Amino acid sequence: MAKNRNKKTRNGVAAMDVTSPQAMDTSESAAPKPHIGGSHRKMKGVQMKRTKNVRKMKAIAKAISKNEKLEERITRTESKIERTKDAKKLYE
């Protein structure tokens, strides 16, 4: 394997071009790490609070719609009972 390392490939390009020396890049490209201070934790706390409020609001909306459906069902059954009573009175 070591013998074939510097041979050219089929299209005529060398495996690794070492003819022009390149300077090593020593600049820091990584962003600095944030501190483990209060600002990061505050944002996380706000997110938690927001999601909790969203869940609470969804639960309230669901309960209201369920209550409205229940009331509608009750009024339908009451009207049905009234209609049957009126129909029975007609035939008596």
Side-chain angles (χ1 to χ4, degrees), residues 44-80:
K44 193 171 187 179
V46 169
Q47 286 177 343
M48 294 286 282
K49 190 174 182 181
R50 190 175 300 142
T51 56
K52 187 177 179 181
N53 287 341
V54 168
R55 276 188 273 137
K56 187 187 278 187
M57 295 298 279
K58 282 184 179 179
I60 291 169
K62 189 176 179 181
I64 290 171
S65 67
K66 195 172 183 180
N67 194 14
E68 288 175 353
K69 286 180 184 178
L70 185 66
E71 288 175 2
E72 185 179 336
R73 192 179 308 147
I74 289 170
T75 56
R76 265 192 276 141
T77 55
E78 287 176 352
S79 66
K80 191 175 182 181

Side-chain angles (χ1 to χ4, degrees), residues 2-92:
K3 292 179 184 178
N4 296 332
R5 184 173 45 156
N6 292 328
K7 288 187 178 181
K8 293 184 179 182
T9 58
R10 291 184 184 178
N11 59 2
V13 178
M16 185 173 173
D17 188 19
V18 290
T19 56
S20 62
Q22 296 176 353
M24 183 184 266
D25 187 20
T26 58
S27 63
E28 288 188 28
S29 61
K33 293 183 179 179
H35 296 286
I36 309 176
S39 65
H40 183 64
R41 289 185 181 182
K42 275 186 184 177
M43 287 182 64
K44 193 171 187 179
V46 169
Q47 286 177 343
M48 294 286 282
K49 190 174 182 181
R50 190 175 300 142
T51 56
K52 187 177 179 181
N53 287 341
V54 168
R55 276 188 273 137
K56 187 187 278 187
M57 295 298 279
K58 282 184 179 179
I60 291 169
K62 189 176 179 181
I64 290 171
S65 67
K66 195 172 183 180
N67 194 14
E68 288 175 353
K69 286 180 184 178
L70 185 66
E71 288 175 2
E72 185 179 336
R73 192 179 308 147
I74 289 170
T75 56
R76 265 192 276 141
T77 55
E78 287 176 352
S79 66
K80 191 175 182 181
I81 291 170
E82 289 293 322
R83 280 186 279 129
T84 54
K85 283 182 181 179
D86 291 339
K88 283 182 181 178
K89 284 181 184 177
L90 285 173
Y91 292 109
E92 287 180 351

